[in-house]
Amino acid sequence: MQYVQAKVTQQTNFYGKHNPVDLIKKYGSPLYVYNERILRERCRDIKKLVKGPDFIVNYSAKANSNLALLKIIHDEGCCVDAMSPGEIYVQLQAGFKPEQILYIGNNVSAEEMKYASNQGILVSVDSLSQLELYGKINPHSNVVARFNTGVGAGHHQKVVTGGKKTKFGIESAFIPEVKDILKKYHLRLIGINQHIGSLFMDTDSYISGVQALLDVAAQFSNLEFVDLGGGFGIPYHKYQNEPRLDLAALSEKLSKVLTDWVNEYGKQVRFKVEPGRYLVAECGILLGNIHTIKTNYSTKYIGTDIGFNVLMRPVLYNSYHDIEIYRSSNAQSRNQEAVTIVGNICESGDIIAEDRKLPEIFEEDIIGVLDAGAYGYSMASNYNNRLRPAEVLITNHGDDVLIRRRETLEDLVRHY
Ligand code: LLP
């Protein structure tokens, strides 16, 4: 097998004892492949983020909730955030204890709140009305509230979750109303949280968000924890040597801000962060077959089986993912050329990489879409009645293990 363009995966020995051609032969295409070592490394990196105050990492499982990956994250000592009863259900199966799960609900029903609280899982509410609802269901209990301090950040407008133009959180100005509802239902606010948005590489907005949240925290006297949110970015442009997020610099700034605040608050408070992408994006690659190469009105299209039912990010957010090329034949690429890599879905927006300069690609090559571990499989669908792919883990020993089977045609009619 030729690694035509594969510097990133070769440097990390991503495929262990295997190679992409063999993996596709064995498991079919398209295929999500994850590397256990990289996942564990990212868990360990982020666990070192805050030094001094008590600190815990709550993995935001919406990024990837494969059971095998959740088990590894649990094994690394992280806790977890859930966004739905479905996520809670899977997290419990993965071995997380109810007290290790925080249910961060958005516009949830009474039944959903009960599903969590009846199992001893803390619920974070993100509006006054949801706080009322929670109080009616569970008076005299502990609760968490999500605030929107007016600070937002993110790689695309659709994923900025803090600030004046988003549906999330309770505006800080409503703190008196929050206190009234707490009193009315004898609730104890033991934690507050926020999430300003997804994917920042520059940490200034995160720090401003933290400071704003700490100002909110100072107005409540019995907090046990303050959850600062996720959003830590990863370099998607690895072939252009994009630098990594400077976690050491962030750690230094953040640890100081938190330590100073705890000293003022006068009570030990545990801090949490909620990273999703940072833990799982780089441990995942999406492999796909190339079935067609054609030129339409001077654009060269590389037609693959990676439709946006399999990876939605490029279509939804115009997101960039680096592409690698693997080849089973001895054919040689003569030059670099600009190509547009597309999927097999019946929409013209079904583009994985537009106008990308790459070594000449041939039919039957395999492409690898890098950094696909976060919001890849978790956002996959059956659009066009396509099947969701299999997922394979390359273990610490370099072996391959199937961690979710490919869907079958029968799965498409299973619910009738
Ligand atoms: N906490 C809360 C409350 C969240 O809503 C999210 C993500 C996170 C934490 C984790 O954010 P992260 O560390 O992964 O940035 N589908 C989009 C990202 C959507 C993020 C939604 N919320 C994408 O593919 O870029």
Side-chain angles (χ1 to χ4, degrees):
M1 199 210 76
Q2 286 187 65
Y3 287 99
V4 180
Q5 159 145 315
K7 157 178 109 189
V8 171
T9 48
Q10 285 187 303
Q11 272 164 6
T12 55
N13 187 25
F14 190 93
Y15 299 104
K17 296 176 187 156
H18 300 274
N19 69 54
V21 169
D22 291 348
L23 288 169
I24 291 255
K25 259 192 211 134
K26 183 165 174 188
Y27 297 104
S29 176
L31 182 69
Y32 274 100
V33 184
Y34 302 99
N35 181 293
E36 177 178 358
R37 180 179 35 81
I38 297 176
L39 174 58
R40 288 188 185 273
E41 274 169 21
R42 294 298 176 270
C43 293
R44 290 170 196 180
D45 287 351
I46 204 95
K47 279 178 71 186
K48 288 188 261 172
L49 184 63
V50 171
K51 298 186 179 70
D54 191 9
F55 173 63
I56 198 142
V57 173
N58 264 17
Y59 168 57
S60 184
K62 59 180 75 68
N64 190 320
S65 51
N66 181 290
L67 204 52
L69 302 190
L70 284 174
K71 284 181 183 165
I72 294 171
I73 292 168
H74 177 251
D75 184 55
E76 285 296 329
C78 297
C79 292
V80 75
D81 279 353
M83 203 69 200
S84 67
E87 285 193 356
I88 291 174
Y89 181 80
V90 174
Q91 291 163 9
L92 290 168
Q93 303 268 324
F96 288 95
K97 300 266 175 301
E99 59 275 18
Q100 294 178 307
I101 301 175
L102 175 63
Y103 181 25
I104 302 186
N106 176 240
N107 308 331
V108 305
S109 67
E111 286 65 37
E112 289 177 326
M113 279 185 191
K114 283 184 202 156
Y115 179 82
S117 56
N118 289 349
Q119 301 186 74
I121 293 168
L122 260 181
V123 176
S124 163
V125 295
D126 90 336
S127 65
L128 296 177
S129 88
Q130 294 256 289
L131 184 57
E132 277 273 350
L133 178 63
Y134 188 85
K136 281 181 196 149
I137 297 172
N138 290 315
H140 298 276
S141 69
N142 292 337
V143 71
V144 179
R146 175 172 178 174
F147 282 91
N148 178 341
T149 58
V151 182
H155 69 85
H156 189 281
Q157 196 50 43
K158 289 187 175 128
V159 300
V160 175
T161 47
K164 297 190 173 128
K165 292 246 156 72
T166 87
K167 65 171 178 167
F168 294 101
I170 302 171
E171 196 181 322
S172 312
F174 293 132
I175 289 175
E177 286 82 349
V178 168
K179 288 187 173 172
D180 289 346
I181 300 171
L182 293 173
K183 212 158 155 201
K184 180 167 159 197
Y185 296 101
H186 307 279
L187 296 170
R188 217 160 69 88
L189 187 76
I190 62 161
I192 62 169
N193 64 304
Q194 79 169 357
H195 174 67
I196 62 170
S198 194
L199 206 167
F200 56 81
M201 296 304 278
D202 159 11
T203 57
D204 288 354
S205 339
Y206 194 73
I207 295 285
S208 323
V210 167
Q211 270 156 340
L213 189 67
L214 293 176
D215 290 345
V216 172
Q219 301 181 56
F220 294 96
S221 48
N222 276 311
L223 294 178
E224 288 173 13
F225 71 84
V226 177
D227 179 342
L228 312 170
F232 310 95
I234 63 109
Y236 280 99
H237 294 76
K238 292 184 167 57
Y239 276 86
Q240 288 158 37
N241 301 317
E242 182 184 359
R244 302 193 66 75
L245 179 72
D246 191 347
L247 267 193
L250 177 61
S251 167
E252 202 172 304
K253 278 191 226 162
L254 195 57
S255 304
K256 179 164 181 351
V257 169
L258 299 179
T259 309
D260 290 351
W261 185 83
V262 169
N263 289 340
E264 251 175 62
Y265 191 61
K267 178 176 176 281
Q268 274 312 317
V269 170
R270 165 174 274 198
F271 292 100
K272 303 185 185 200
V273 290
E274 304 166 5
R277 184 188 320 270
Y278 192 85
L279 297 197
V280 291
E282 294 171 288
C283 76
I285 291 183
L286 175 56
L287 298 179
N289 274 326
I290 292 167
H291 294 308
T292 316
I293 298 183
K294 72 194 250 185
T295 299
N296 259 4
Y297 299 97
S298 72
T299 299
K300 189 164 182 181
Y301 289 98
I302 309 293
T304 75
D305 57 5
I306 303 182
F308 73 81
N309 64 304
V310 178
L311 179 68
M312 211 177 177
R313 303 191 68 254
V315 173
L316 200 56
Y317 319 113
N318 252 329
S319 297
Y320 180 101
H321 286 262
D322 276 324
I323 302 291
E324 292 202 341
I325 304 165
Y326 318 107
R327 182 167 300 156
S328 48
S329 76
N330 292 325
Q332 294 299 310
S333 300
R334 288 171 295 259
N335 39 37
Q336 295 253 329
E337 55 186 13
V339 292
T340 291
I341 304 179
V342 294
N344 50 6
I345 293 293
C346 177
E347 291 198 25
S348 45
D350 185 27
I351 296 172
I352 307 159
E354 194 161 13
D355 203 17
R356 206 61 81 75
K357 205 141 195 221
L358 290 167
E360 185 181 10
I361 294 176
F362 299 116
E363 284 181 11
E364 284 155 27
D365 283 354
I366 285 171
I367 63 159
V369 182
L370 299 195
D371 304 316
Y375 307 108
Y377 193 100
S378 67
M379 291 173 76
S381 78
N382 288 128
Y383 187 43
N384 279 198
N385 270 3
R386 292 248 164 229
L387 306 177
R388 275 177 292 190
E391 296 183 287
V392 166
L393 181 70
I394 305 295
T395 66
N396 273 347
H397 305 293
D399 300 318
D400 57 321
V401 182
L402 182 68
I403 55 170
R404 176 150 36 193
R405 69 159 172 81
R406 182 176 306 285
E407 287 181 331
T408 62
L409 293 176
E410 292 73 32
D411 287 329
L412 295 174
V413 288
R414 207 153 36 108
H415 306 297
Y416 294 96

